[in-house]
């Protein structure tokens, strides 16, 4: 959604928060701004467009001051303009506020504020907050109390930062729904939406939970709840370094993250495979085998690519653990009246661990007595902290908005969970060992599949002018067809659809002609022959076909116009290899179309509002 960073300490704040903001640009990038407090004066600079536009607006001499607040936006209410950019100030220029989230009762509050004589300068929902704080703060309340008093009047989700000329070295931050942390420095402190903004200065952070408010000064910080009760919070240590969030010489984060997958697959498997037992060791699951044996149903839930990974998990768990599994769009699950109980295991998949719909779906499941697990990449994220247990992907920060290494990490984590549940039920030690060995070979097989990048790049040249595309697969690779289509859609803006290959004849085949490229995911698995006949159906209607095939499969080469090979592996693990050429294809087509691959239009890396 949006990115927030704030600083208070002995150093000049503007430069520090600007640098931090650049690391958060992947969260939202349609307008940005910052505010600096210096000896009773407040200076605010904001600009529509990327952070570079803000830098230009700041010029060579950014405002001086030791307390600063900055924001990069992903607009929900009010177009991306200078006026709608954050920070927003109160009528007299005493206060500045940045907000990540949505104030649901903003319209009512705005009308009342205007009635009471306030001048609102933007179309945003966020601005009402700073005027509510103004009323209490200028009425004599200290900033902390004014902020919690104002928050008591709002409905919706927020992560906010506030500064005041009346308390020049104070930052107040509060969260309900949107992520926020306090970063502890030596005689200085930061607030930020995520740790990447502060890693250059400290590794010690305190994550705020919903309903918490922090007052931060150079020498200290306090965390309280909205009823002003002190909270004692653990300090977490960030274990990844700045290099992992740098592009490392690649043209784009997305390409770096695609080519990192052999290593990220090693990371998600490290220390978790127990070949002798044909089983796994999942230290973070935090449940006993008896608890897992009591489970009689699994619900997998998530959004976007995480939902696609969940679909693959359904196939795995049903086939090898013999458990009934449902896959739910989190945004639907949270508002339906789902049937879950204490024997249901609800697993939320989320790279960011902050996606509002997935978080709400897990909270709903928990409310109904279900046991909840998270398959999450961002350590210390809200979902990771709220579920009963889980599996971290250890894929390192994923900066490219289009998920790649997290997607394959999620599938590998689901295979680990499947082994765990399967060995407790239906899977023999020999079957378990076969899956363990298959997983252990994956990083090397992924390396081999990625060596096909030049082949994919040449195919991308053929597809760059297309306006539509169809992706088809069956079984484990039907969800890969969905994922391949999503990758092309979200970064190259080409309309694409993924479909179970057999569904074609029930309608979509009408779309087929020589202008419609069709991508078949056709490894030599249990449904291979079925896919071949689907490919022939499409070929006879003149489609241009790209086929992802198993190494050495010359049979399909005869039929397909283009083909990319992937190494052989177990059926349930083929998606981890077959998606790689599809990630590369989307990447190369988008680059050729001059799209902003890492920050595609209208998208944000983690969607913390519903
Ligand atoms: C995928 O490329 C997209 N960025 C998006 O669909 C994403 O998967 C979705 O927003 C879920 O995000 P999460 O995994 O962080 O919860």
């Amino acid at each position: 959604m949006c990115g927030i960073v704030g600083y208070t300490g002995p150093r000049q704040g503007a430069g520090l928060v600007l640098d931090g903001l650049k690391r958060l640009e992947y969260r939202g990038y349609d307008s940005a701004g910052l505010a600096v407090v210096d000896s009773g004066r407040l200076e605010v600079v904001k600009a529509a467009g990327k952070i570079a536009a803000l830098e230009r607006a700041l010029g060579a001499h950014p405002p001086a001051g030791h307390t600063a607040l900055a924001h990069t936006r992903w607009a929900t209410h009010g177009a991306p303009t200078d006026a709608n950019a954050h920070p927003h100030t109160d009528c007299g220029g005493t206060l500045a506020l940045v907000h990540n989230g949505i104030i649901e009762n903003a319209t009512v509050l705005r009308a009342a504020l205007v009635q009471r004589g306030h001048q609102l300068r933007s179309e945003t929902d966020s601005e009402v907050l700073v005027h509510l704080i103004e009323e209490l703060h200028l009425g004599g309340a200290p900033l902390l109390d004014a902020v919690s008093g104002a928050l008591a009047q709002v409905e919706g989700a927020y992560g906010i930062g506030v500064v005041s000329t009346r308390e020049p070295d104070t930052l107040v931050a509060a969260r309900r729904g949107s992520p926020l942390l306090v970063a502890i420095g030596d005689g200085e402190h930061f607030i930020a939406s995520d740790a990447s903004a502060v890693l250059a200065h400290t590794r010690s952070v305190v994550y705020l939970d919903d309903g918490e408010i922090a007052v931060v000064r150079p020498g200290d910080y306090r965390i309280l709840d909205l009823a002003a009760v002190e909270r004692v919070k653990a300090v977490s240590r960030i274990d990844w370094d700045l290099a992992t969030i740098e592009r490392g010489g690649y043209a784009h984060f997305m390409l770096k993250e695609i080519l990192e997958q052999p290593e990220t697959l090693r990371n998600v498997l490290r220390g978790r495979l127990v070949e002798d037992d044909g089983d796994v060791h999942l230290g973070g699951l935090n449940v006993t085998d008896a608890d897992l044996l009591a489970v009689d149903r699994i619900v997998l839930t998530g959004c976007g690519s995480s939902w696609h990974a969940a679909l693959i998990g359904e196939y795995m768990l049903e086939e090898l653990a013999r458990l009934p599994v449902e896959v739910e769009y989190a945004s639907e699950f949270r508002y339906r009246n789902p049937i879950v109980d204490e024997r249901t295991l609800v697993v939320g998949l989320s790279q960011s661990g902050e996606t509002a719909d997935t978080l709400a779906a897990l909270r709903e499941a928990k409310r109904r007595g279900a046991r909840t697990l998270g398959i999450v990449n961002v350590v210390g994220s809200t979902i990771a902290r709220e579920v009963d247990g889980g599996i971290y992907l250890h894929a390192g920060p994923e900066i490219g908005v289009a998920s790649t290494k997290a997607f394959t990490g999620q599938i590998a984590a689901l295979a680990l969970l499947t082994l765990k549940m399967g060995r407790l039920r239906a899977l023999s030690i020999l079957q378990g060992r076969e899956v363990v060995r298959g997983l252990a070979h994956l990083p090397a097989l992924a390396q081999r599949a990625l060596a096909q990048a030049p082949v994919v790049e040449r195919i991308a040249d053929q597809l760059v002018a297309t306006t539509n595309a169809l992706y088809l697969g069956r079984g484990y690779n039907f969800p890969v067809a969905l994922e391949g289509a999503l990758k092309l859609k979200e970064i190259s803006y080409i309309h694409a659809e993924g479909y179970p290959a057999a569904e074609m004849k029930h309608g979509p085949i009408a779309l087929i002609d020589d202008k419609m490229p069709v991508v078949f995911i056709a490894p030599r698995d249990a449904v291979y022959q079925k896919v071949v006949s689907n490919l022939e159906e499409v070929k006879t209607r003149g489609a241009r076909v790209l086929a992802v095939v198993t190494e050495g499969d010359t049979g399909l080469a005869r039929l397909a116009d283009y083909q990319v090979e992937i190494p052989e592996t177990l059926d349930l693990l083929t998606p981890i290899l077959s998606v790689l050429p599809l990630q590369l294809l989307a990447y190369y087509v988008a680059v050729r179309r001059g799209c902003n691959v890492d920050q595609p239009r209208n998208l944000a890396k983690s969607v913390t509002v519903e």
Side-chain angles (χ1 to χ4, degrees):
M1 190 60 185
C2 306
I4 288 174
V5 58
Y7 170 81
T8 179
R11 295 190 275 168
Q12 285 300 317
L16 295 173
V17 294
L18 197 59
D19 288 347
L21 205 62
K22 288 178 194 158
R23 299 207 183 286
L24 297 178
E25 192 160 27
Y26 70 97
R27 300 178 63 88
Y29 34 83
D30 58 37
S31 50
L34 65 78
V36 181
V37 179
D38 186 41
S39 44
R41 251 170 2 86
L42 178 67
E43 198 159 340
V44 174
V45 181
K46 37 192 196 172
K50 295 189 177 297
I51 293 174
L54 174 62
E55 278 188 299
R56 283 193 296 280
L58 285 165
H61 307 292
H66 301 288
T67 303
L69 204 48
H71 181 274
T72 180
R73 184 172 184 235
W74 189 63
T76 58
H77 296 70
T81 62
D82 292 7
N84 290 338
H86 299 215
H88 293 291
T89 57
D90 63 324
C91 300
T94 303
L95 294 157
L97 168 131
V98 294
H99 169 233
N100 173 18
I102 290 182
I103 305 300
E104 287 162 12
N105 60 340
T107 313
V108 180
L109 293 169
R110 174 182 281 265
L113 284 162
V114 170
Q115 195 93 39
R116 297 200 292 272
H118 287 264
Q119 304 284 327
L120 281 82
R121 302 180 195 84
S122 78
E123 303 151 309
T124 68
D125 53 320
S126 311
E127 190 187 354
V128 296
L129 267 170
V130 73
H131 293 276
L132 293 173
I133 297 168
E134 172 190 2
E135 291 188 332
L136 299 164
H137 193 41
L138 301 201
L143 186 59
L144 174 64
D145 302 347
V147 173
S148 37
L151 292 175
Q153 301 169 54
V154 303
E155 287 151 27
Y158 57 78
I160 62 167
V162 188
V163 292
S164 162
T165 56
R166 292 185 173 204
E167 297 178 32
D169 68 347
T170 301
L171 273 171
V172 170
R175 91 154 269 167
R176 186 170 68 198
S178 303
L180 213 50
L181 57 83
V182 174
I184 304 159
D186 183 8
E188 58 183 17
H189 288 91
F190 294 80
I191 62 166
S193 297
D194 73 47
S196 57
V198 297
L199 202 54
H201 310 287
T202 176
R203 291 179 172 284
S204 306
V205 301
V206 175
Y207 295 101
L208 293 190
D209 284 314
D210 280 356
E212 290 181 346
I213 184 164
V215 54
V216 180
R217 297 195 178 87
D220 63 49
Y221 70 92
R222 293 165 56 210
I223 314 275
L224 309 94
D225 63 19
L226 289 182
V229 176
E230 294 280 341
R231 291 270 177 96
V232 180
K233 304 276 297 187
V235 177
S236 306
R237 187 170 165 73
I238 304 295
D239 59 13
W240 33 269
D241 57 28
L242 262 182
T244 52
I245 50 179
E246 299 291 351
R247 271 211 314 265
Y250 289 94
H252 298 96
F253 281 110
M254 184 178 179
L255 183 60
K256 171 178 176 269
E257 289 155 7
I258 291 173
L259 299 176
E260 265 176 359
Q261 290 177 94
E263 189 49 36
T264 54
L265 286 168
R266 274 187 206 94
N267 293 349
V268 68
L269 299 170
R270 188 167 288 114
R272 291 169 166 171
L273 298 176
V274 187
E275 183 168 351
D276 290 355
D277 301 344
D279 203 342
V280 293
H281 170 68
L282 297 172
L285 221 49
N286 191 25
V287 286
T288 64
D289 288 0
D291 297 330
L292 291 176
L293 275 167
V295 167
D296 64 3
R297 193 164 138 259
I298 297 179
V299 172
L300 304 174
T301 188
C303 305
S305 290
S306 295
W307 185 80
H308 294 153
L311 280 175
I312 296 167
E314 176 183 31
Y315 284 76
M316 289 174 172
L317 285 157
E318 287 190 345
E319 183 187 346
L320 276 74
R322 306 308 296 144
L323 269 165
V325 178
E326 281 134 53
V327 175
E328 300 283 354
Y329 277 116
S331 54
E332 291 298 316
F333 182 84
R334 64 179 293 187
Y335 287 118
R336 262 200 7 252
N337 191 5
I339 299 168
V340 296
D341 60 28
E342 65 290 341
R343 301 199 60 189
T344 312
L345 179 67
V346 177
V347 182
L349 289 100
S350 177
Q351 185 288 128
S352 61
E354 301 294 352
T355 300
D357 286 323
T358 309
L359 181 58
L362 286 162
R363 287 176 174 164
E364 187 61 24
K366 213 174 172 113
R367 186 176 294 114
R368 292 159 185 254
R371 184 177 296 279
T372 57
L373 293 180
I375 293 183
V376 172
N377 188 39
V378 177
V379 175
S381 57
T382 310
I383 288 176
R385 286 182 287 116
E386 292 201 5
V387 289
D388 302 314
I391 303 173
Y392 276 131
L393 303 184
H394 302 307
E398 188 174 67
I399 309 287
V401 166
S403 186
T404 53
K405 61 180 181 176
F407 179 70
T408 51
Q410 287 168 332
I411 303 169
L414 285 162
L416 294 172
L417 181 64
T418 298
L419 264 174
K420 179 72 191 172
M421 303 299 275
R423 288 291 286 124
L424 286 173
R425 287 176 167 75
L427 212 55
S428 72
I429 188 167
L430 295 179
Q431 291 169 312
R433 284 184 183 156
E434 193 193 0
V435 178
V436 167
R437 281 194 291 272
L439 283 165
H441 290 139
L442 271 181
L445 298 180
Q447 193 70 59
R448 230 158 73 203
L450 290 168
Q452 294 277 310
V455 175
V456 180
E457 194 163 5
R458 285 194 293 279
I459 296 168
D461 292 334
Q462 313 302 319
L463 299 179
V464 73
T466 190
T467 52
N468 295 286
L470 269 175
Y471 287 70
L472 303 175
R474 293 182 78 141
Y476 282 106
N477 287 286
F478 153 53
V480 176
L482 296 174
E483 179 63 8
L486 176 63
K487 293 291 90 117
L488 192 71
K489 273 185 274 205
E490 67 180 326
I491 62 169
S492 75
Y493 317 143
I494 294 172
H495 173 245
E497 282 194 70
Y499 256 88
E503 271 301 296
M504 284 298 295
K505 37 191 180 295
H506 305 289
I509 199 162
L511 296 169
I512 300 293
D513 59 20
D514 58 1
K515 295 182 208 46
M516 171 70 86
V518 180
V519 179
F520 268 89
I521 299 107
R524 271 193 190 287
D525 61 11
V527 287
Y528 174 72
Q529 281 312 331
K530 304 291 179 202
V531 177
V532 172
S533 40
N534 296 138
L535 195 153
E536 285 161 344
E537 286 160 12
V538 160
K539 202 60 205 146
T540 53
R541 285 155 178 85
R544 276 185 302 154
V545 171
L546 159 62
V548 176
V549 302
T550 301
E551 284 169 355
D553 180 347
T554 51
L556 272 187
R558 231 171 358 86
L559 286 169
D561 301 276
Y562 320 103
Q563 72 167 42
V564 184
E565 295 189 332
I566 57 170
E568 179 131 26
T569 184
L570 302 173
D571 286 9
L572 84 157
L573 301 179
T574 51
I576 291 179
L577 302 178
S578 63
V579 76
L580 301 176
L582 306 186
Q583 295 170 345
L584 286 166
L585 181 70
Y587 171 76
Y588 290 128
V589 168
V591 168
R592 278 154 184 67
R593 290 164 68 97
C595 302
N596 185 330
V597 170
D598 282 338
Q599 294 174 350
R601 69 185 184 201
N602 304 340
L603 281 179
K605 182 63 185 170
S606 79
V607 182
T608 53
V609 294
E610 58 173 309

